[in-house]
Amino acid sequence: MALLVIASCQLMVVLDITIVNIALPDIQRSLDFSTTSLSWVVSAYTLTFGGLLLLGGRAGDILGRRRVFVVGVLVFVLASLLGGLAQGPGQLLAARALQGVGGAIASPTALALISTTFREGPERNRAFGVFAAVSAGGGAIGLLAGGMLVEWLNWRWVLFVNVPIGLLIALATPRWIRESERHPGHFDLAGAATSTVGMVLLVYGFIRAAQDGWRDAVTLASFAGAVVVLALFLLVERRSRQPITPLHMFADRNRAGTYGIMLCLAAAIFGMFFFLTLFVQNVLDFSPLRAGLAFLPVSAVIAIGAGLASRFLPTFGPKPFMVGGALLSAVGLAWLTLTDVHSTYAGSVLGPMLVFSMGMGTQFVSLTLMALSNVPTRETGAASGLLNATQQVGGSLGLSILVTVFGTASRDEAEKQVPDFLAQATPAEQLRFRRTGELPPPWSDEILTAGISSAFVVAAVFALLAALIAVLVIQVRPSDLERLKGGTGPGGM
């Protein structure tokens, strides 16, 4: 029951990253977002989530993990309610940012609770397998749930649905989860503020570049501000007695490599869900429900991959799953670069999506175990927060880079399509184009697919970089395998 409560919270938090994706076209029409600014509906959540995860993990160590877990869930519930009631873009983005705060408090505490609730060895391996399957597969479940809610109700219910789920989790937690030991310490608020502001400026710079180009003054100022604030963040962390990002954790090459791999893979998986959601709805003309069903196989394959990894980790160790999984993900993304306006779901989307999902499923268990190896109990929350932070920051930063690539490729393709459109359009269509600046189908489909294909090229590069890090950095010792089997070998997992 404790694992059910913890996994349910993680599912709610991860699911919310993608459940909104399926509603993006409806949100865009309802609240008047542009295609590039629409990514902020995702990034507003993931940035505050990623930026404050370390603070949330630290709060659990100091104040008690069960107590902090419940507070995070309740903040998430409140933000979801406010988001569902939003009447404009600003209100929705503010609510999404507050959701990120709630998720940042609850999620690292949930992962740390697994470490302190389940015995090391097969029992903990299975618990991590469930947690990893939920973390990786929750995205696809979110797309299905979002499709049903948008189809049968409206986009606001993708946020309202969190309210009863979150309240049930908050009520069940005191009954099934025991409070952890509290460790003395203080909060690194300066580190939390500078890391979050620095990442927001960096992501905003990429998204601004997608809209206004690389020479835009605001774009350049945003990048410059990000460099200054992130440098200040590193300075703060080096001088802090109890930093929000314990830099000594990067001294372990396996853990540092794990964070690097997670950063790259998160960028790839966020991009896949974001762009495929737009493709199947705008080009293949799927309804929200049908689009959600189209992603359902992703969850099943990720769960299979996570189950296989959990079973064979004690035999082979985590490295083969890290390398092989990253390569499978790269193959799937490279395959997706071939999509165009003539592509079909069965012929061009399903196959690469399943290959990508198997790669992701085999990696997440290994990454979770490696990130928490050799971590003292008092720092489990911080280590959990750092792993989650690299996932969310990597996703936000990666998505902003992919959106920039998408925007540049789309503009180039639009320049090629406009003359053909003007030669064939009726006077009414030409007048509408001059007023809105947007081309109608099939020209708009050509532009969208050109941008998406280019974005998948870069996403495949991210996955290949993850494989390279796994090959060159990760080292597994015999004692590590012994601990995975439930032994007491020194060091290791």
Side-chain angles (χ1 to χ4, degrees), residues 31 33 79 82-98 155-156 159:
L31 300 182
F33 280 93
L82 295 175
L85 298 172
Q87 299 300 310
Q91 294 175 12
L92 178 61
L93 295 182
R96 290 287 287 164
L98 185 60
W155 68 263
R156 298 181 183 279
L159 297 167

Side-chain angles (χ1 to χ4, degrees), residues 159-215:
L159 297 167
F160 286 148
V161 71
N162 294 320
V163 176
I165 297 173
L167 290 176
L168 285 174
I169 293 171
L171 290 172
T173 298
R175 176 176 176 84
W176 298 108
I177 297 178
R178 64 178 181 270
E179 184 59 277
S180 65
E181 180 184 355
R182 298 171 64 173
H183 301 279
H186 73 279
F187 296 109
D188 180 17
L189 298 179
T194 51
S195 64
T196 304
V197 172
M199 288 308 303
V200 168
L201 287 172
L202 187 59
V203 170
Y204 179 74
F206 280 109
I207 294 177
R208 178 83 182 195
Q211 294 175 310
D212 301 295
W214 291 94
R215 296 182 180 181

Side-chain angles (χ1 to χ4, degrees), residues 61-344:
D61 292 339
I62 296 174
L63 302 176
R65 294 183 184 125
R66 188 180 71 178
R67 180 182 296 106
V68 171
F69 179 76
V70 172
V71 170
V73 169
L74 292 177
V75 171
F76 194 89
V77 165
L78 173 62
S80 299
L81 180 62
L82 295 175
L85 298 172
Q87 299 300 310
Q91 294 175 12
L92 178 61
L93 295 182
R96 290 287 287 164
L98 185 60
Q99 274 188 305
V101 174
I105 296 171
S107 186
T109 312
L111 184 55
L113 283 170
I114 288 182
S115 295
T116 55
T117 302
F118 298 94
R119 291 191 304 272
E120 191 167 34
E123 180 179 311
R124 187 180 296 178
N125 293 346
R126 285 193 295 271
F128 274 138
V130 172
F131 190 88
V134 166
S135 298
I141 296 172
L143 292 172
L144 174 61
M148 291 189 292
L149 291 169
V150 173
E151 184 87 5
W152 296 336
L153 297 168
N154 60 52
W155 68 263
R156 298 181 183 279
W157 282 92
V158 302
L159 297 167
F160 286 148
V161 71
N162 294 320
V163 176
I165 297 173
L167 290 176
L168 285 174
I169 293 171
L171 290 172
T173 298
R175 176 176 176 84
W176 298 108
I177 297 178
R178 64 178 181 270
E179 184 59 277
S180 65
E181 180 184 355
R182 298 171 64 173
H183 301 279
H186 73 279
F187 296 109
D188 180 17
L189 298 179
T194 51
S195 64
T196 304
V197 172
M199 288 308 303
V200 168
L201 287 172
L202 187 59
V203 170
Y204 179 74
F206 280 109
I207 294 177
R208 178 83 182 195
Q211 294 175 310
D212 301 295
W214 291 94
R215 296 182 180 181
D216 176 68
V218 177
T219 299
L220 297 175
S222 181
F223 283 130
V227 170
V228 171
V229 176
L230 290 175
L232 180 61
F233 164 70
L234 292 176
L235 183 63
V236 168
E237 297 307 278
R238 289 185 63 184
R239 295 184 175 183
S240 175
R241 287 186 294 110
Q242 293 181 322
I244 192 173
T245 306
L247 298 180
H248 67 267
M249 288 190 178
F250 292 97
D252 184 301
R253 64 179 292 160
N254 283 344
R255 192 175 301 115
T258 297
Y259 294 145
I261 294 168
M262 180 63 83
L263 199 72
C264 296
L265 293 177
I269 196 169
F270 275 49
M272 189 208 74
F273 280 131
F274 182 82
F275 289 111
L276 278 187
T277 301
L278 294 178
F279 180 80
V280 298
Q281 291 193 75
N282 294 338
V283 179
L284 300 184
D285 202 27
F286 281 18
S287 67
L289 177 57
R290 191 179 177 193
L293 289 170
F295 287 97
L296 188 58
V298 172
S299 294
V301 175
I302 285 178
I304 291 170
L308 290 172
S310 298
R311 180 177 179 181
F312 293 108
L313 266 172
T315 303
F316 300 105
K319 184 167 182 174
F321 296 103
M322 291 180 170
V323 177
L327 290 176
L328 279 175
S329 300
V331 169
L333 291 166
W335 192 353
L336 283 170
T337 64
L338 303 178
T339 53
D340 57 28
V341 293
H342 305 295
S343 297
T344 63

Side-chain angles (χ1 to χ4, degrees), residues 21 24 34-43 203-214 267 270-275 278 394-411 448 450-452 454-456 458-459 462:
N21 272 17
L24 288 176
S34 68
T35 301
T36 48
S37 65
L38 193 62
S39 64
W40 275 106
V41 178
V42 178
S43 294
V203 170
Y204 179 74
F206 280 109
I207 294 177
R208 178 83 182 195
Q211 294 175 310
D212 301 295
W214 291 94
F270 275 49
M272 189 208 74
F273 280 131
F274 182 82
F275 289 111
L278 294 178
S396 298
L397 184 57
L399 181 57
S400 67
I401 293 171
L402 296 177
V403 166
T404 303
V405 173
F406 166 84
T408 302
S410 297
R411 283 197 302 272
L448 184 66
I452 288 175
S454 298
F456 280 135
V458 179
F462 286 147

